[in-house]
Amino acid sequence: MQSKVLLIYTGGTIGMNRNPRTGALEPFDFEQLLQNVPELKQFDMQIDTYQFVPPIDSSDMSPQRWTDLSHVIADRYDLYDGFVVLHGTDTMAFTASAMSYMLENLTKPVIFTGSQLPIGQLRTDGKENLITSIEIAAAKDDDGHALVPEVGIYFDSHLLRGNRTTKQSAEEFNAFESFNYPHLVEAGVNMVYHRERMLKPDWDKPMTPHFRLDNNVIIFSLFPGVREDLIRHIIHTPNLKAIVMRTFGSGNAPQSPWLLKALKEGTQNGKVIVNISQCLQGAVEMGRYDTGYHLQEAGVVSGYDSTVESAVAKLMFLQSHYDDPVKVRELMNRSIRGEITV
């Protein structure tokens, strides 16, 4: 039976033209994008398309758009073997992380890709990214199961787990990396699928979509000289439910009594404070140094080796399902979609 893939265009550089008057990149019609990739006609599969109108600059991505995207996939889930989402690179890791939580027990590929150069430009990276993403989205094993039953980001010959990925460069074609988890697929002369690294869904159960998110969360980074009044202002913000706190090294923070006291006040007032390292590689180990241990005493929970993008999306997801901060803290310390190594 012929494979069917749905190509979803949300926006992004891949589908832009340069305005000859201003020199700025502007979105063009999705049909024009497809005309720039005649190679798609060589696929022995059905490729259908869905376009967000108007296209979304990835800087304008929001939880509401994530809900819209999860609806698009859920409503058509039984009709297709896989999905390819064209998305701007700036917030792609946030969106891919959100989709990993919103599409529970995913049994089909949802592959995010895009490009650093518009697809109409001669040196574009968009063609290879798009073509290989479609191939991965349609790939099945001998039992008819998807080879990649999870949300991934494909860029520059690598497929990465979506909720493990961070944008690492605004200049290089190798724009993304999953620093704390190995690549899922290597696309060279041959396609190498590392199936032992993939998530293992329950093939006998349906995919369960979720459409609610609670964005009462904020990110702040610690730095030498951080001010007490500003930190206290953040921690005591009304309606704020969770904080992603970017700390030093393996999860360390200044041992200022005021900081530890403020964090403890926050957790006692029901706020979930998650410790994420500012380092791109490595994990938070709060028992390793005295400074991390004191954070633990203040009620701060470890984010382990999570990315900031994944931690934010996971908190939005969990907060929309659980009112109890104790339950949210518990689940932040568990891997629910392969997002952390515990």
Side-chain angles (χ1 to χ4, degrees):
M1 185 182 294
Q2 191 181 49
S3 293
K4 295 175 67 177
V5 171
L6 181 63
L7 186 58
I8 303 168
Y9 178 59
T10 68
T13 299
I14 193 168
M16 289 189 171
N17 268 336
R18 194 171 296 280
N19 184 309
R21 184 177 61 83
T22 65
L25 292 175
E26 298 175 345
F28 61 87
D29 187 80
F30 194 35
E31 291 305 315
Q32 290 177 266
L33 185 148
L34 297 176
Q35 288 168 16
N36 278 280
V37 196
E39 294 89 343
L40 294 181
K41 295 175 182 175
Q42 297 180 37
F43 274 120
D44 183 23
M45 69 177 78
Q46 180 180 328
I47 303 173
D48 294 336
T49 60
Y50 180 94
Q51 180 175 3
F52 276 63
V53 180
I56 309 159
D57 185 289
S58 69
S59 299
D60 293 324
M61 195 53 69
S62 67
Q64 180 56 55
R65 299 292 193 181
W66 294 340
T67 296
D68 294 341
L69 180 57
S70 64
H71 273 293
V72 169
I73 294 171
D75 291 349
R76 297 159 179 79
Y77 192 74
D78 294 333
L79 301 176
Y80 294 95
D81 299 291
F83 302 84
V84 173
V85 182
L86 300 181
H87 192 290
T89 58
D90 287 348
T91 57
M92 187 184 290
F94 283 99
T95 304
S97 294
M99 285 304 106
S100 76
Y101 299 116
M102 298 174 82
L103 304 173
E104 183 180 349
N105 196 47
L106 192 60
T107 56
K108 298 178 181 181
V110 175
I111 310 300
F112 282 80
T113 195
S115 65
Q116 296 284 62
L117 288 174
I119 206 158
Q121 289 194 14
L122 192 60
R123 292 182 55 249
T124 184
D125 54 325
K127 281 191 179 183
E128 193 277 324
N129 287 347
L130 175 57
I131 289 167
T132 307
S133 293
I134 291 172
E135 184 172 339
I136 292 170
K140 297 180 182 179
D141 62 18
D142 293 337
D143 296 324
H145 292 148
L147 288 180
V148 184
E150 59 177 284
V151 177
I153 289 179
Y154 181 82
F155 244 80
D156 195 40
S157 304
H158 307 300
L159 181 72
L160 316 169
R161 177 166 292 166
N163 60 28
R164 291 278 195 154
T165 306
T166 293
K167 185 177 181 181
Q168 66 169 355
S169 176
E171 296 289 331
E172 297 177 4
F173 287 152
N174 186 23
F176 291 90
E177 188 53 86
S178 54
F179 292 96
N180 291 319
Y181 198 77
H183 299 167
L184 302 181
V185 179
E186 311 283 354
V189 174
N190 297 303
M191 299 282 285
V192 180
Y193 291 84
H194 298 286
R195 300 200 69 183
E196 72 283 359
R197 300 172 185 171
M198 310 283 184
L199 293 175
K200 306 293 189 291
D202 187 334
W203 300 103
D204 297 323
K205 290 184 178 178
M207 186 275 288
T208 303
H210 300 276
F211 307 115
R212 289 182 295 140
L213 293 166
D214 181 339
N215 65 343
N216 285 297
V217 58
I218 198 167
I219 305 165
F220 73 71
S221 295
L222 295 177
F223 57 90
V226 64
R227 286 177 46 144
E228 177 179 357
D229 58 334
L230 299 181
I231 293 297
R232 283 191 171 278
H233 184 73
I234 292 171
I235 289 175
H236 294 291
T237 300
N239 301 322
L240 181 65
K241 293 182 179 178
I243 296 168
V244 174
M245 183 173 67
R246 302 183 68 235
T247 56
F248 308 127
S250 56
N252 303 311
Q255 294 195 64
S256 308
W258 68 260
L259 177 60
L260 295 172
K261 185 181 178 187
L263 293 172
K264 192 166 188 175
E265 287 171 5
T267 58
Q268 288 176 339
N269 289 333
K271 290 182 170 58
V272 178
I273 304 176
V274 183
N275 186 350
I276 301 285
S277 175
Q278 294 179 26
C279 300
L280 289 173
Q281 193 161 15
V284 164
E285 299 177 63
M286 290 169 69
R288 186 174 181 183
Y289 295 101
D290 199 36
T291 55
Y293 179 75
H294 287 309
L295 291 178
Q296 208 167 359
E297 282 192 317
V300 176
V301 297
S302 175
Y304 297 94
D305 57 352
S306 173
T307 64
V308 169
E309 296 92 333
S310 180
V312 168
K314 186 176 179 180
L315 284 166
M316 288 187 187
F317 173 73
L318 293 176
Q319 288 172 179
S320 71
H321 287 73
Y322 304 100
D323 291 327
D324 184 2
V326 174
K327 182 65 175 179
V328 174
R329 290 189 192 105
E330 177 199 332
L331 290 171
M332 286 304 294
N333 278 169
R334 279 168 43 191
S335 176
I336 63 173
R337 302 285 193 274
E339 71 279 4
I340 53 175
T341 306
V342 181

